[in-house]
Short mmCIF file of all heavy atoms in Angstrom, two decimals:
data_model
loop_
_atom_site.label_atom_id
_atom_site.label_comp_id
_atom_site.label_asym_id
_atom_site.label_seq_id
_atom_site.Cartn_x
_atom_site.Cartn_y
_atom_site.Cartn_z
N LYS A 167 13.57 -8.68 -6.74
CA LYS A 167 14.00 -7.67 -5.77
C LYS A 167 13.31 -7.82 -4.43
O LYS A 167 13.59 -7.04 -3.51
CB LYS A 167 13.75 -6.27 -6.31
CG LYS A 167 14.57 -5.92 -7.55
CD LYS A 167 14.30 -4.49 -7.98
CE LYS A 167 15.15 -4.11 -9.17
NZ LYS A 167 14.90 -2.71 -9.61
N ASN A 168 12.40 -8.78 -4.32
CA ASN A 168 11.63 -8.98 -3.09
C ASN A 168 10.97 -7.69 -2.63
O ASN A 168 10.99 -7.34 -1.45
CB ASN A 168 12.53 -9.54 -1.98
CG ASN A 168 13.15 -10.86 -2.36
OD1 ASN A 168 12.45 -11.79 -2.75
ND2 ASN A 168 14.47 -10.96 -2.25
N THR A 169 10.37 -7.01 -3.58
CA THR A 169 9.78 -5.71 -3.33
C THR A 169 8.37 -5.66 -3.92
O THR A 169 8.14 -6.16 -5.02
CB THR A 169 10.63 -4.59 -3.93
OG1 THR A 169 11.94 -4.62 -3.34
CG2 THR A 169 10.01 -3.22 -3.68
N VAL A 170 7.47 -5.05 -3.18
CA VAL A 170 6.11 -4.84 -3.65
C VAL A 170 5.86 -3.33 -3.72
O VAL A 170 6.40 -2.57 -2.90
CB VAL A 170 5.08 -5.55 -2.75
CG1 VAL A 170 5.09 -4.96 -1.34
CG2 VAL A 170 3.69 -5.49 -3.36
N TYR A 171 5.06 -2.92 -4.69
CA TYR A 171 4.76 -1.51 -4.92
C TYR A 171 3.26 -1.29 -4.91
O TYR A 171 2.49 -2.15 -5.34
CB TYR A 171 5.32 -1.05 -6.26
CG TYR A 171 6.79 -1.32 -6.46
CD1 TYR A 171 7.22 -2.49 -7.09
CD2 TYR A 171 7.75 -0.43 -6.01
CE1 TYR A 171 8.56 -2.75 -7.27
CE2 TYR A 171 9.09 -0.68 -6.19
CZ TYR A 171 9.50 -1.84 -6.82
OH TYR A 171 10.84 -2.09 -6.99
N LEU A 172 2.87 -0.14 -4.44
CA LEU A 172 1.48 0.28 -4.50
C LEU A 172 1.42 1.64 -5.16
O LEU A 172 1.81 2.64 -4.56
CB LEU A 172 0.85 0.33 -3.11
CG LEU A 172 -0.65 0.65 -3.07
CD1 LEU A 172 -1.46 -0.48 -3.69
CD2 LEU A 172 -1.11 0.91 -1.64
N GLN A 173 0.97 1.66 -6.41
CA GLN A 173 0.79 2.91 -7.14
C GLN A 173 -0.59 3.45 -6.81
O GLN A 173 -1.59 2.77 -7.07
CB GLN A 173 0.94 2.67 -8.64
CG GLN A 173 0.73 3.93 -9.49
CD GLN A 173 1.81 4.95 -9.27
OE1 GLN A 173 2.99 4.61 -9.24
NE2 GLN A 173 1.42 6.21 -9.11
N MET A 174 -0.65 4.64 -6.27
CA MET A 174 -1.90 5.25 -5.83
C MET A 174 -2.16 6.49 -6.67
O MET A 174 -1.42 7.47 -6.59
CB MET A 174 -1.84 5.60 -4.34
CG MET A 174 -1.48 4.42 -3.45
SD MET A 174 -1.56 4.82 -1.68
CE MET A 174 -0.20 6.01 -1.57
N ASN A 175 -3.21 6.44 -7.47
CA ASN A 175 -3.59 7.55 -8.32
C ASN A 175 -4.94 8.11 -7.88
O ASN A 175 -5.69 7.46 -7.16
CB ASN A 175 -3.68 7.11 -9.78
CG ASN A 175 -2.36 6.63 -10.34
OD1 ASN A 175 -1.30 7.12 -9.97
ND2 ASN A 175 -2.42 5.67 -11.25
N SER A 176 -5.25 9.30 -8.35
CA SER A 176 -6.53 9.96 -8.05
C SER A 176 -6.82 9.93 -6.56
O SER A 176 -7.92 9.59 -6.12
CB SER A 176 -7.66 9.29 -8.84
OG SER A 176 -7.42 9.34 -10.23
N LEU A 177 -5.84 10.32 -5.77
CA LEU A 177 -5.97 10.22 -4.32
C LEU A 177 -7.04 11.15 -3.79
O LEU A 177 -7.24 12.26 -4.29
CB LEU A 177 -4.63 10.51 -3.66
CG LEU A 177 -3.63 9.35 -3.73
CD1 LEU A 177 -2.22 9.84 -3.46
CD2 LEU A 177 -4.01 8.27 -2.73
N LYS A 178 -7.73 10.68 -2.77
CA LYS A 178 -8.81 11.39 -2.12
C LYS A 178 -8.46 11.63 -0.66
O LYS A 178 -7.67 10.88 -0.08
CB LYS A 178 -10.11 10.59 -2.19
CG LYS A 178 -10.54 10.20 -3.59
CD LYS A 178 -11.77 9.29 -3.54
CE LYS A 178 -12.21 8.89 -4.92
NZ LYS A 178 -13.40 7.99 -4.87
N PRO A 179 -9.05 12.64 -0.03
CA PRO A 179 -8.81 12.85 1.40
C PRO A 179 -9.13 11.61 2.23
O PRO A 179 -8.47 11.38 3.25
CB PRO A 179 -9.75 14.01 1.75
CG PRO A 179 -9.86 14.78 0.49
CD PRO A 179 -9.85 13.75 -0.61
N GLU A 180 -10.08 10.81 1.80
CA GLU A 180 -10.44 9.59 2.51
C GLU A 180 -9.33 8.54 2.51
O GLU A 180 -9.39 7.58 3.27
CB GLU A 180 -11.71 8.96 1.91
CG GLU A 180 -12.91 9.89 1.90
CD GLU A 180 -13.03 10.64 0.58
OE1 GLU A 180 -12.26 11.62 0.39
OE2 GLU A 180 -13.88 10.26 -0.25
N ASP A 181 -8.33 8.71 1.64
CA ASP A 181 -7.20 7.80 1.61
C ASP A 181 -6.17 8.11 2.69
O ASP A 181 -5.21 7.35 2.86
CB ASP A 181 -6.51 7.84 0.25
CG ASP A 181 -7.41 7.37 -0.87
OD1 ASP A 181 -8.12 6.35 -0.69
OD2 ASP A 181 -7.42 8.02 -1.94
N THR A 182 -6.33 9.22 3.39
CA THR A 182 -5.39 9.60 4.44
C THR A 182 -5.37 8.55 5.54
O THR A 182 -6.40 8.22 6.12
CB THR A 182 -5.76 10.96 5.02
OG1 THR A 182 -5.65 11.96 4.00
CG2 THR A 182 -4.83 11.33 6.18
N ALA A 183 -4.18 8.02 5.82
CA ALA A 183 -4.03 6.96 6.81
C ALA A 183 -2.56 6.61 6.94
O ALA A 183 -1.72 7.08 6.16
CB ALA A 183 -4.82 5.71 6.41
N ILE A 184 -2.25 5.79 7.93
CA ILE A 184 -0.95 5.15 7.98
C ILE A 184 -1.07 3.83 7.23
O ILE A 184 -1.97 3.03 7.50
CB ILE A 184 -0.47 4.90 9.42
CG1 ILE A 184 -0.39 6.22 10.19
CG2 ILE A 184 0.89 4.22 9.41
CD1 ILE A 184 -0.02 6.05 11.64
N TYR A 185 -0.17 3.60 6.30
CA TYR A 185 -0.17 2.40 5.48
C TYR A 185 0.91 1.46 5.99
O TYR A 185 2.08 1.83 6.08
CB TYR A 185 0.08 2.76 4.02
CG TYR A 185 -1.12 3.40 3.35
CD1 TYR A 185 -1.55 4.66 3.73
CD2 TYR A 185 -1.83 2.73 2.36
CE1 TYR A 185 -2.65 5.25 3.14
CE2 TYR A 185 -2.93 3.31 1.76
CZ TYR A 185 -3.34 4.57 2.15
OH TYR A 185 -4.44 5.14 1.54
N TYR A 186 0.51 0.22 6.30
CA TYR A 186 1.41 -0.78 6.84
C TYR A 186 1.59 -1.91 5.85
O TYR A 186 0.63 -2.61 5.50
CB TYR A 186 0.87 -1.36 8.15
CG TYR A 186 0.81 -0.36 9.29
CD1 TYR A 186 -0.36 0.35 9.55
CD2 TYR A 186 1.92 -0.14 10.10
CE1 TYR A 186 -0.41 1.26 10.58
CE2 TYR A 186 1.86 0.76 11.14
CZ TYR A 186 0.69 1.46 11.37
OH TYR A 186 0.63 2.35 12.41
N CYS A 187 2.80 -2.11 5.41
CA CYS A 187 3.13 -3.23 4.56
C CYS A 187 3.17 -4.52 5.37
O CYS A 187 3.53 -4.50 6.56
CB CYS A 187 4.49 -2.99 3.90
SG CYS A 187 5.10 -4.34 2.86
N TYR A 188 2.78 -5.63 4.76
CA TYR A 188 2.87 -6.91 5.45
C TYR A 188 3.30 -8.00 4.48
O TYR A 188 3.18 -7.87 3.26
CB TYR A 188 1.53 -7.30 6.10
CG TYR A 188 0.49 -7.83 5.14
CD1 TYR A 188 0.40 -9.20 4.88
CD2 TYR A 188 -0.40 -6.98 4.51
CE1 TYR A 188 -0.55 -9.69 4.00
CE2 TYR A 188 -1.35 -7.46 3.63
CZ TYR A 188 -1.43 -8.81 3.38
OH TYR A 188 -2.38 -9.31 2.51
N SER A 189 3.77 -9.10 5.04
CA SER A 189 4.10 -10.29 4.27
C SER A 189 3.73 -11.52 5.09
O SER A 189 3.65 -11.47 6.32
CB SER A 189 5.57 -10.34 3.88
OG SER A 189 6.40 -10.55 5.01
N GLY A 190 3.51 -12.63 4.40
CA GLY A 190 3.16 -13.86 5.08
C GLY A 190 3.00 -15.00 4.11
O GLY A 190 3.08 -14.82 2.89
N THR A 191 2.75 -16.16 4.66
CA THR A 191 2.52 -17.34 3.85
C THR A 191 1.05 -17.46 3.48
O THR A 191 0.70 -17.55 2.30
CB THR A 191 2.98 -18.61 4.59
OG1 THR A 191 4.35 -18.48 4.95
CG2 THR A 191 2.80 -19.83 3.71
N PHE A 192 0.16 -17.45 4.48
CA PHE A 192 -1.27 -17.50 4.25
C PHE A 192 -2.00 -16.33 4.89
O PHE A 192 -3.18 -16.10 4.60
CB PHE A 192 -1.86 -18.81 4.78
CG PHE A 192 -1.23 -20.04 4.21
CD1 PHE A 192 -0.33 -20.79 4.94
CD2 PHE A 192 -1.52 -20.44 2.92
CE1 PHE A 192 0.26 -21.92 4.41
CE2 PHE A 192 -0.93 -21.57 2.37
CZ PHE A 192 -0.04 -22.31 3.13
#
């Protein structure tokens, strides 16, 4: 599906942020 997932459990206030997905060769 050319899809990546990030399962985030036990979230903390310190996890607050903008999350940017990326892809690349190296």
